[in-house]
Amino acid sequence: MIKKSNKSTPGKENASSASVLDDRGVLLNKWKKGIDLRSLVDLLHSESSSDRLQGAYYLGELGVAVEDLMIPATQLAKDPVATCRRAFVAYMMTSGFYNKSIANSLAECLQDLDLYVRVTTIKWAVEAPEDVFEDFSLLVKSGVGGLRPRFPNPLSNEFWIDASLKRAVRGLNIAIWLRSGEKSDDIRKRVPEEDSFVLDELLFSETQPERYSAWKKSRSQH
């Protein structure tokens, strides 16, 4: 018996890929208008981490505020997958959504042990409107979003609560200094205890325009 091949011809494969891309484009355009959101919300609520990651990706592709996605997006803040938590912060930056629940979640993300989540939250704080940033600052300084350890010894709990608050305030201060126009390299000297990746990532964003300009100039000379 001759087995039937499962391989598709190049022409069919290309057509199939184009169809998937077209479908995704149609869906994204609908979602941007708040239409047919159920499929995206289902991805964000799925028990499958791969589904939620896909939903987080689409959320990042939207680039606009969609009111009915505010709550599903906020729920990503407590996702066990760091990429999803980061997607929550990035969408709050894009959408401009802010309320008490979002603020509490952002305070937790500022202290996230995943550095991508932490630095994305610092970037959100740098770009936040003045009134939002003031409210967020008060929240963080009050201890919201900090660690809640449960050691038998209360002194051990106090140690980590204090360390968590210091880390939160340090992240807040970095945002304050950046908002006031200080450069990342100068801030690095102020907070030697901050992970170098966080400051490298901020410096990378800060120097993006000049790198692009230099690259564009070098291309024009060839």
Side-chain angles (χ1 to χ4, degrees), residues 215-222:
W215 176 64
K216 191 175 180 181
K217 184 178 179 180
S218 68
R219 290 187 68 190
S220 67
Q221 292 172 348
H222 291 85

Side-chain angles (χ1 to χ4, degrees), residues 67-81:
E67 193 72 30
D68 289 339
L69 290 177
M70 182 173 67
I71 292 175
T74 302
Q75 291 171 341
L76 288 179
K78 297 189 182 299
D79 198 286
V81 180

